mmCIF file of all heavy atoms in Angstrom:
data_model
loop_
_atom_site.group_PDB
_atom_site.id
_atom_site.type_symbol
_atom_site.label_atom_id
_atom_site.label_comp_id
_atom_site.label_asym_id
_atom_site.label_seq_id
_atom_site.Cartn_x
_atom_site.Cartn_y
_atom_site.Cartn_z
ATOM 1 N N CYS A 82 -5.509 -3.069 3.090
ATOM 2 C CA CYS A 82 -4.711 -1.924 3.631
ATOM 3 C C CYS A 82 -5.415 -0.590 3.307
ATOM 4 O O CYS A 82 -6.768 -0.700 3.139
ATOM 5 C CB CYS A 82 -3.326 -1.914 3.006
ATOM 6 S SG CYS A 82 -2.451 -3.291 3.333
ATOM 7 N N ILE A 83 -4.810 0.598 3.359
ATOM 8 C CA ILE A 83 -5.499 1.826 3.386
ATOM 9 C C ILE A 83 -5.064 2.716 2.302
ATOM 10 O O ILE A 83 -5.162 3.920 2.324
ATOM 11 C CB ILE A 83 -5.494 2.522 4.797
ATOM 12 C CG1 ILE A 83 -3.993 2.590 5.173
ATOM 13 C CG2 ILE A 83 -6.387 1.906 5.735
ATOM 14 C CD1 ILE A 83 -3.913 3.475 6.538
ATOM 15 N N MET A 84 -4.479 2.086 1.199
ATOM 16 C CA MET A 84 -3.991 2.970 0.169
ATOM 17 C C MET A 84 -4.940 2.996 -1.058
ATOM 18 O O MET A 84 -4.561 3.629 -2.102
ATOM 19 C CB MET A 84 -2.529 2.451 -0.359
ATOM 20 C CG MET A 84 -1.516 2.694 0.652
ATOM 21 S SD MET A 84 -1.645 1.296 1.932
ATOM 22 C CE MET A 84 -0.164 1.651 2.896
ATOM 23 N N ARG A 99 -13.622 -3.754 3.041
ATOM 24 C CA ARG A 99 -12.288 -3.978 3.462
ATOM 25 C C ARG A 99 -12.140 -5.461 3.871
ATOM 26 O O ARG A 99 -12.940 -5.979 4.497
ATOM 27 C CB ARG A 99 -12.007 -3.009 4.733
ATOM 28 C CG ARG A 99 -10.582 -3.270 5.390
ATOM 29 C CD ARG A 99 -9.696 -2.162 4.831
ATOM 30 N NE ARG A 99 -8.381 -2.313 5.476
ATOM 31 C CZ ARG A 99 -7.824 -1.623 6.482
ATOM 32 N NH1 ARG A 99 -8.468 -0.696 6.904
ATOM 33 N NH2 ARG A 99 -6.545 -2.026 6.838
ATOM 34 N N CYS A 101 -9.102 -7.137 5.121
ATOM 35 C CA CYS A 101 -8.063 -7.642 5.982
ATOM 36 C C CYS A 101 -8.757 -8.460 7.121
ATOM 37 O O CYS A 101 -9.719 -8.053 7.779
ATOM 38 C CB CYS A 101 -7.458 -6.412 6.669
ATOM 39 S SG CYS A 101 -6.437 -5.401 5.559
ATOM 40 N N VAL A 122 -2.964 -11.694 9.886
ATOM 41 C CA VAL A 122 -3.802 -10.902 9.098
ATOM 42 C C VAL A 122 -3.939 -11.503 7.709
ATOM 43 O O VAL A 122 -4.972 -11.741 7.074
ATOM 44 C CB VAL A 122 -3.350 -9.427 8.923
ATOM 45 C CG1 VAL A 122 -4.174 -8.620 7.955
ATOM 46 C CG2 VAL A 122 -3.262 -8.809 10.311
ATOM 47 N N THR A 149 2.319 -3.470 -0.025
ATOM 48 C CA THR A 149 2.785 -2.797 1.221
ATOM 49 C C THR A 149 3.969 -3.645 1.743
ATOM 50 O O THR A 149 5.118 -3.685 1.244
ATOM 51 C CB THR A 149 1.764 -2.556 2.080
ATOM 52 O OG1 THR A 149 1.005 -3.772 2.312
ATOM 53 C CG2 THR A 149 0.828 -1.526 1.731
ATOM 54 N N CYS A 150 3.699 -4.429 2.793
ATOM 55 C CA CYS A 150 4.732 -5.319 3.376
ATOM 56 C C CYS A 150 4.839 -6.528 2.442
ATOM 57 O O CYS A 150 4.105 -6.806 1.592
ATOM 58 C CB CYS A 150 4.348 -5.643 4.746
ATOM 59 S SG CYS A 150 2.796 -6.592 4.894
ATOM 60 N N LYS A 153 1.894 -9.016 2.522
ATOM 61 C CA LYS A 153 0.775 -8.557 1.733
ATOM 62 C C LYS A 153 0.990 -8.793 0.212
ATOM 63 O O LYS A 153 0.112 -9.179 -0.482
ATOM 64 C CB LYS A 153 0.383 -7.186 2.022
ATOM 65 C CG LYS A 153 -0.541 -6.939 3.226
ATOM 66 C CD LYS A 153 -1.966 -7.026 2.875
ATOM 67 C CE LYS A 153 -2.885 -7.247 4.087
ATOM 68 N NZ LYS A 153 -3.133 -6.066 4.912
ATOM 69 N N PRO A 291 -2.750 -3.901 13.446
ATOM 70 C CA PRO A 291 -4.136 -3.488 13.576
ATOM 71 C C PRO A 291 -4.985 -4.552 14.337
ATOM 72 O O PRO A 291 -4.976 -5.770 14.028
ATOM 73 C CB PRO A 291 -4.727 -3.409 12.152
ATOM 74 C CG PRO A 291 -3.741 -4.163 11.306
ATOM 75 C CD PRO A 291 -2.394 -4.121 11.953
ATOM 76 N N CYS A 316 -4.286 1.063 11.457
ATOM 77 C CA CYS A 316 -4.876 1.332 10.121
ATOM 78 C C CYS A 316 -6.254 0.670 10.024
ATOM 79 O O CYS A 316 -6.937 0.806 9.014
ATOM 80 C CB CYS A 316 -4.008 0.709 8.988
ATOM 81 S SG CYS A 316 -3.848 -1.117 9.196
ATOM 82 N N ARG A 320 -6.257 5.817 11.983
ATOM 83 C CA ARG A 320 -5.402 6.125 10.852
ATOM 84 C C ARG A 320 -6.150 6.076 9.518
ATOM 85 O O ARG A 320 -5.897 6.716 8.549
ATOM 86 C CB ARG A 320 -4.182 5.246 10.855
ATOM 87 C CG ARG A 320 -3.078 5.768 10.098
ATOM 88 C CD ARG A 320 -1.968 4.679 9.788
ATOM 89 N NE ARG A 320 -1.263 4.236 10.975
ATOM 90 C CZ ARG A 320 -0.582 3.071 11.024
ATOM 91 N NH1 ARG A 320 -0.649 2.233 9.972
ATOM 92 N NH2 ARG A 320 0.076 2.738 12.110
ATOM 93 N N CYS A 350 1.968 3.864 7.516
ATOM 94 C CA CYS A 350 2.033 2.341 7.585
ATOM 95 C C CYS A 350 3.651 1.996 7.597
ATOM 96 O O CYS A 350 4.340 2.720 6.974
ATOM 97 C CB CYS A 350 1.489 1.894 6.272
ATOM 98 S SG CYS A 350 1.963 0.096 5.930
ATOM 99 N N PRO A 351 3.981 1.044 8.436
ATOM 100 C CA PRO A 351 5.464 0.902 8.590
ATOM 101 C C PRO A 351 6.052 0.227 7.283
ATOM 102 O O PRO A 351 7.344 -0.026 7.387
ATOM 103 C CB PRO A 351 5.500 -0.152 9.771
ATOM 104 C CG PRO A 351 4.216 -0.775 9.851
ATOM 105 C CD PRO A 351 3.275 0.234 9.347
ATOM 106 N N SER A 352 5.309 -0.057 6.304
ATOM 107 C CA SER A 352 5.897 -0.516 5.155
ATOM 108 C C SER A 352 6.739 0.549 4.406
ATOM 109 O O SER A 352 7.519 0.246 3.466
ATOM 110 C CB SER A 352 4.982 -1.185 4.186
ATOM 111 O OG SER A 352 3.976 -0.256 3.821
ATOM 112 N N TYR A 386 6.174 -4.162 11.820
ATOM 113 C CA TYR A 386 5.957 -3.335 12.926
ATOM 114 C C TYR A 386 7.085 -3.471 14.012
ATOM 115 O O TYR A 386 7.291 -2.595 14.694
ATOM 116 C CB TYR A 386 4.601 -3.693 13.600
ATOM 117 C CG TYR A 386 3.504 -2.886 12.924
ATOM 118 C CD1 TYR A 386 2.488 -3.324 12.137
ATOM 119 C CD2 TYR A 386 3.424 -1.517 13.290
ATOM 120 C CE1 TYR A 386 1.560 -2.553 11.552
ATOM 121 C CE2 TYR A 386 2.387 -0.649 12.765
ATOM 122 C CZ TYR A 386 1.465 -1.240 11.974
ATOM 123 O OH TYR A 386 0.470 -0.409 11.496
HETATM 124 S S1 SF4 B 501 -0.130 -1.742 8.637
HETATM 125 FE FE1 SF4 B 501 0.169 -1.242 6.443
HETATM 126 S S2 SF4 B 501 0.582 -3.188 5.530
HETATM 127 FE FE2 SF4 B 501 -0.274 -3.632 7.492
HETATM 128 S S3 SF4 B 501 -2.487 -3.937 7.137
HETATM 129 FE FE3 SF4 B 501 -2.132 -1.716 7.747
HETATM 130 S S4 SF4 B 501 -1.834 -0.635 5.883
HETATM 131 FE FE4 SF4 B 501 -1.606 -2.770 5.421
#
Side-chain angles (χ1 to χ4, degrees):
C82 299
I83 49 174
M84 291 82 175
R99 179 98 183 253
C101 294
V122 176
T149 48
C150 64
K153 274 273 164 75
C316 64
R320 200 194 291 160
C350 164
S352 60
Y386 266 110

